[in-house]
Amino acid sequence: MQSDEMQARFQLSLPSPAGEGFSLDIDTQLPGRGITAVFGPSGCGKTTFLRCLAGLQKTSGGLLRVRDEIWQDGAHFLPTHERPLGYVFQEASLFPHLSAEGNLAYALKRAGAVSPGLYDRVVELMGIGPLLSRLPQRLSGGERQRVAIARALLIAPRLLLMDEPLASLDAERKREILPYLERLRSEFDLPIVYVSHAFEEVARLADHLMVMRGGRVVAQGDLSAVLSRIDLPVAMGEDTGVVLEGRIIERDSHWHLARVAFAGGDLWLRDGGDPVGREIRVRVLARDLSLSLACHEDTSILNRLPAEVAEIAADADSAMVLVRLRVGPSALVARLTRRSAEHLGLAPGSAVWAQVKSAAIVK
Amino acid sequence: MGFTAEDWMAISLTARLALTVTLLLLLIGTPIAWWLARSRSRWKGLIGAIVALPLVLPPSVLGFYLLLAMGPNGPIGQLTEALGLGTLPFTFWGLVIASIFYSMPFVVQPIQNAIEALGERPIEVAATLRAGPWDRFFTVVLPLARPGFVTAAILGFAHTVGEFGVILMIGGNIPGETRVVSVQIYDYVETLDYARAHWLAGAMLLFSFAVLLSLYLFRQRSSRAAIDFGG
């Protein structure tokens, strides 16, 4: 067992006002680095799971080990204020009686010994220097959330928990904050558990994915490994599809296209203005893939990739199937009608051409 | 004409009593209000009803039971006698104890409402920022619920000043020890000295009005300044 992992086991039954009780039953290991996205629909227990990790939700028994420290087991329960974690709540949670700076000072004062440059580094990273003297009600929603993230970082956490930090913001504000989260991921060596029901955020940020439904974990692993599983169509729904890690290798100014190389091939995509050499993620939805046995040149579809069928599984919709494809070391998932799959005679091992109708750089 | 020496004695006694009771009630009432605001215990309704009882009980009823309890055969009386303090009725501290019960709901309820309005969230936020329970109370709950505490203090003070029935039952009418302003006015009326009663009653009227006016102005100001947490 690697010592930088987290082990979490929680069992909990909560009465719900609607009458049906809610139960959480989780026994899992989470990686000790990178961003772990906890993804699932509203009410699946992902926030409750996060609150258990923080000690805000008490469970009898249970086990929580973070690296080599036991935070909770049958014998003892470390209260929230003794757990070295940072927590970013869904809605802005700045103390209204303190200025932005006062909120940051609240954390810093209680953080114990922190490296001297931390404050300036965090303020710079979140771009909140000009906001410090303002009271929370004088900040926009996005600004408040950036101050709240900075405050959570200043407590010098060894684990950062984020509960849908973008959910209360409109699309514009989300776009404003996402780059800060990406910088946070690349500049702080800090394991982050990020709860979300918005797949775009997951596709953009996550290294590791835990899919929850009805208080249980239905799938977990590296982002691309989980997304290329085809036995989870119900859990992923319309978001079924893969995310490829790639790099821009060429830009065509005439057609306004950019070529993105990923392990196993490359794709021409609409040029979003990213410079050559930038690492990006490309999302390919299952419904945007079609398959043919021969390589058609006479088609409007720009991207055709030679692939091999790895696995075929039933979709939630009985007219459809999901097909997992191997493209070099990478995987793609296509959603086809069952009739087409049979017509083409698809079976594991079949060689096909995957036609990518659309794919987008994840923004 | 003005106040006589006895009037001044009654006024200073009343002020001393109200101040002592208010301070003690803030200390005793805050944990009770905290518990009532945040507990999910099934005893919550019972304790809440007991705290609120003086709102509806005739003061003479409350005074009667407290007199028995503090008397030589009552549980409180036996305790104070065992501690060598004698019995409490007809003493200043007897009045203090009676007033604490009598004014309790006026202090507990504003604090309880303020803590309930605050909700769990700011307290949880403070916990994730490594603030322990006392730290959370003094740095988050107290500043955010301040209007509730101010209201509680003002109401507790004013209500103790205006008390009469309980005092008569417990304290009687001992100058400098238990004869507060309201009892002094009663004495004047009993002896048909309406002129002196007018002075004291008028002063009480002005005082009560000034207290309530300042309370309403304060509430208006703090509700304008109130910000929903996170809002």
Side-chain angles (χ1 to χ4, degrees):
Chain A
M1 198 179 286
Q2 282 175 293
S3 66
D4 67 342
E5 282 196 332
M6 281 184 279
Q7 190 184 359
R9 189 166 69 227
F10 301 114
Q11 275 183 321
L12 181 69
S13 289
L14 293 175
S16 82
E20 287 169 64
F22 167 79
S23 77
L24 184 79
D25 188 353
I26 283 180
D27 186 353
T28 189
Q29 301 218 354
L30 299 173
R33 54 190 61 246
I35 297 186
T36 300
V38 180
F39 177 72
S42 300
C44 71
K46 50 194 193 306
T47 293
T48 307
F49 171 61
L50 205 66
R51 291 175 59 82
C52 287
L53 290 177
L56 293 171
Q57 177 70 56
K58 294 204 170 64
T59 56
S60 54
L63 173 72
L64 178 59
R65 187 177 50 76
V66 177
R67 294 177 178 167
D68 294 325
E69 292 167 34
I70 302 280
W71 287 7
Q72 175 178 345
D73 62 18
H76 77 293
F77 180 92
L78 211 55
T80 301
H81 66 274
E82 289 174 18
R83 300 185 180 198
L85 54 84
Y87 200 110
V88 179
F89 291 83
Q90 183 170 344
E91 73 292 338
S93 55
L94 298 179
F95 296 126
H97 61 299
L98 300 174
S99 66
E101 197 167 20
N103 272 278
L104 299 184
Y106 194 95
L108 206 56
K109 203 176 134 192
R110 291 163 179 80
V114 296
S115 61
L118 181 70
Y119 185 81
D120 292 336
R121 196 174 148 214
V122 166
V123 168
E124 208 276 320
L125 178 78
M126 287 293 141
I128 53 174
L131 314 175
L132 290 178
S133 62
R134 294 203 218 153
L135 282 170
Q137 65 267 31
R138 313 286 302 171
L139 298 173
S140 75
E143 289 168 341
R144 278 187 216 142
Q145 208 53 305
R146 269 152 58 199
V147 175
I149 294 167
R151 186 178 64 176
L153 290 173
L154 285 176
I155 202 78
R158 272 179 279 153
L159 171 65
L160 183 61
L161 305 175
M162 304 181 100
D163 182 12
E164 310 220 27
L166 307 184
S168 61
L169 305 175
D170 58 39
E172 190 118 343
R173 300 270 169 255
K174 277 183 196 169
R175 270 199 295 281
E176 170 197 320
I177 294 198
L178 275 164
Y180 292 103
L181 295 178
E182 283 183 329
R183 289 174 66 187
L184 168 62
R185 179 180 61 175
S186 58
E187 291 189 22
F188 275 76
D189 179 23
L190 176 67
I192 300 173
V193 180
Y194 187 101
V195 160
S196 181
H197 71 269
F199 192 78
E200 312 82 71
E201 291 166 31
V202 172
R204 178 147 169 188
L205 297 171
D207 303 301
H208 189 87
L209 178 61
M210 172 168 148
V211 182
M212 282 186 70
R213 256 192 118 73
R216 277 146 188 78
V217 179
V218 292
Q220 189 185 345
D222 284 339
L223 179 71
S224 52
V226 173
L227 293 182
S228 61
R229 279 178 61 176
I230 56 176
D231 55 344
L232 305 165
V234 178
M236 304 305 295
E238 284 302 299
D239 292 318
T240 303
V242 297
V243 172
L244 301 168
E245 303 265 0
R247 198 161 52 84
I248 310 251
I249 54 169
E250 188 183 342
R251 292 173 74 184
D252 183 328
S253 59
H254 182 65
W255 300 112
H256 296 284
L257 295 172
R259 192 147 70 104
V260 176
F262 64 93
D266 53 53
L267 294 166
W268 282 100
L269 304 173
R270 281 196 297 185
D271 190 349
D274 295 298
V276 170
R278 170 158 305 171
E279 308 269 341
I280 46 104
R281 287 178 169 191
V282 176
R283 188 169 172 204
V284 186
L285 288 171
R287 59 164 191 255
D288 290 334
L289 273 189
S290 66
L291 302 184
S292 65
L293 295 178
C295 180
H296 295 287
E297 294 292 336
D298 54 343
T299 162
S300 65
I301 290 172
L302 202 57
N303 293 302
R304 297 177 297 274
L305 299 164
E308 182 192 326
V309 174
E311 188 188 356
I312 302 174
D315 189 61
D317 182 336
S318 58
M320 308 299 280
V321 290
L322 289 171
V323 180
R324 183 158 59 88
L325 303 165
R326 266 195 286 270
V327 180
S330 300
L332 292 173
V333 173
R335 175 180 275 147
L336 317 173
T337 61
R338 202 152 48 85
R339 180 176 151 178
S340 303
E342 199 155 317
H343 177 69
L344 295 179
L346 296 183
S350 305
V352 292
W353 286 88
Q355 300 176 317
V356 184
K357 278 180 274 186
S358 98
I361 296 172
V362 182
K363 286 272 180 202
Chain B
M1 191 153 95
F3 296 133
T4 64
E6 287 93 67
D7 291 349
W8 282 115
M9 203 189 267
I11 289 170
S12 95
L13 175 71
T14 307
R16 196 151 57 89
L17 175 68
L19 212 59
T20 311
V21 168
T22 305
L23 290 176
L24 287 174
L25 263 180
L26 286 174
L27 288 177
I28 300 165
T30 300
I32 294 175
W34 176 270
W35 184 83
L36 285 173
R38 299 180 38 103
S39 167
R40 290 193 205 99
S41 160
R42 60 203 173 93
W43 299 104
K44 184 173 158 172
L46 181 75
I47 302 293
I50 291 174
V51 167
L53 210 49
L55 289 176
V56 293
L57 214 54
S60 53
V61 174
L62 183 69
F64 174 64
Y65 285 119
L66 283 171
L67 185 65
L68 291 185
M70 292 196 278
N73 298 320
I76 300 177
Q78 286 182 340
L79 178 72
T80 51
E81 286 206 315
L83 293 171
L85 300 170
T87 52
L88 290 173
F90 308 106
T91 67
F92 177 74
W93 286 100
L95 288 194
V96 168
I97 289 181
S99 305
I100 282 175
F101 283 101
Y102 185 55
S103 295
M104 177 90 77
F106 293 85
V107 172
V108 167
Q109 287 182 353
I111 299 177
Q112 181 186 344
N113 292 342
I115 292 174
E116 276 170 358
L118 196 62
E120 289 281 334
R121 185 47 53 86
I123 299 166
E124 289 186 350
V125 170
T128 68
L129 295 170
R130 306 260 214 295
W134 288 103
D135 191 0
R136 296 200 284 269
F137 180 79
F138 285 108
T139 60
V140 176
V141 176
L142 208 51
L144 288 179
R146 198 175 59 102
F149 283 93
V150 173
T151 304
I154 293 176
L155 284 181
F157 186 88
H159 190 249
T160 306
V161 167
E163 159 180 18
F164 176 69
V166 176
I167 303 234
L168 268 193
M169 295 295 287
I170 299 285
N173 197 351
I174 305 165
E177 177 78 20
T178 65
R179 187 188 286 168
V180 296
V181 173
S182 57
V183 177
Q184 179 85 335
I185 295 171
Y186 180 73
D187 282 357
Y188 283 139
V189 175
E190 283 278 88
T191 55
L192 299 179
D193 191 350
Y194 280 24
R196 292 210 179 280
H198 260 307
W199 272 93
L200 271 183
M204 282 289 267
L205 185 70
L206 278 178
F207 167 79
S208 304
F209 179 71
V211 164
L212 289 180
L213 185 66
S214 62
L215 182 64
Y216 277 87
L217 290 178
F218 169 78
R219 275 189 179 164
Q220 222 171 22
R221 196 168 54 89
S222 60
S223 72
R224 255 206 308 276
I227 323 117
D228 283 350
F229 186 76

